[in-house]
Amino acid sequence: ELKEKYKTATEPERQVINKEVKRNEEKFTATQLHADGVNRYQLDDLDGATKFFNQAIAVDPLYSAPWTSLGWIHFDRGQYDEAIKCFQHAIDLYDEFAPSWNGMGCSYNYKGTNENRPDYYQKAIEFCRRAIELDRNYAAPWNNLGYAYDKLKDYDRAIECFKKGIELDPNDPAPWSNM
């Protein structure tokens, strides 16, 4: 479509079309780099995954997915403050992606446990609720919501959340274990 427009475009219009083509190429390249990083992550090659995610960000700084993925790498390494920074950056770029909000909730849960800070569980609840608002069929935030309620000794709510997580993804061992 852009090639056809280009054929009859004026010089200023061609410059706009060229910018759009360049932006599309950047998005495509960043998406490919992110996919390569996800493959590395699934192989537990966190350093390799980090490399690809950083490359995706360098190509397209406005692409939020690699920021979310970097957040999970920091989370896996127990670097909760860094994870929170990455998830927050992803949310700042695109606030409609439930996994970014869930990552924030999960990070605050673990940070709350490590630092004995019950106020962090309240933050986790807010973030998990936002993830659920965005995607009611996403099981992980239900488990993380249950975890926060469990830590706040609201066991009835915790069990309700774990049950909902199990209902949505009966193969995920986390809510079964937490319940």
Side-chain angles (χ1 to χ4, degrees):
E1 183 181 316
L2 291 174
K3 284 181 181 180
E4 287 303 313
K5 285 182 183 179
Y6 191 85
K7 289 177 185 176
T8 60
T10 64
E11 187 55 36
E13 291 170 334
R14 286 182 176 186
Q15 289 175 6
V16 170
I17 291 169
N18 283 335
K19 285 181 184 176
E20 189 173 347
V21 167
K22 184 177 186 296
R23 180 72 185 127
N24 287 343
E25 289 172 350
E26 289 169 349
K27 286 181 181 179
F28 178 78
T29 301
T31 301
Q32 289 301 118
L33 288 166
H34 182 254
D36 291 342
V38 169
N39 289 335
R40 292 289 186 171
Y41 182 82
Q42 291 171 340
L43 296 170
D44 280 334
D45 178 6
L46 300 186
D47 292 334
T50 298
K51 177 183 160 196
F52 281 110
F53 297 146
N54 283 325
Q55 287 175 345
I57 290 165
V59 169
D60 184 359
L62 302 177
Y63 184 31
S64 68
W67 284 102
T68 298
S69 298
L70 279 176
W72 284 114
I73 287 176
H74 287 297
F75 176 85
D76 289 347
R77 290 179 168 156
Q79 301 164 338
Y80 305 121
D81 289 328
E82 289 303 311
I84 288 166
K85 287 177 190 174
C86 289
F87 291 129
Q88 185 61 60
H89 193 75
I91 290 167
D92 291 343
L93 290 171
Y94 181 67
D95 68 353
E96 298 293 315
F97 190 52
S100 302
W101 292 95
N102 180 55
M104 288 287 279
C106 198
S107 296
Y108 273 103
N109 271 338
Y110 278 76
K111 191 171 164 65
T113 299
N114 285 350
E115 297 177 18
N116 195 24
R117 294 277 308 267
D119 57 312
Y120 286 165
Y121 301 126
Q122 289 298 333
K123 286 184 175 206
I125 289 168
E126 292 171 31
F127 290 119
C128 291
R129 287 195 179 285
R130 179 65 179 135
I132 291 166
E133 285 174 21
L134 291 169
D135 186 352
R136 302 254 331 118
N137 295 316
Y138 181 26
W142 286 101
N143 180 59
N144 292 322
L145 186 60
Y147 182 93
Y149 283 129
D150 177 61
K151 291 297 186 179
L152 293 171
K153 299 184 183 340
D154 189 343
Y155 302 120
D156 291 336
R157 275 191 179 166
I159 289 170
E160 286 175 30
C161 293
F162 295 139
K163 284 181 178 178
K164 183 65 177 178
I166 290 167
E167 176 187 321
L168 292 170
D169 185 1
N171 295 319
D172 182 357
W176 289 102
S177 175
N178 287 334
M179 191 160 46

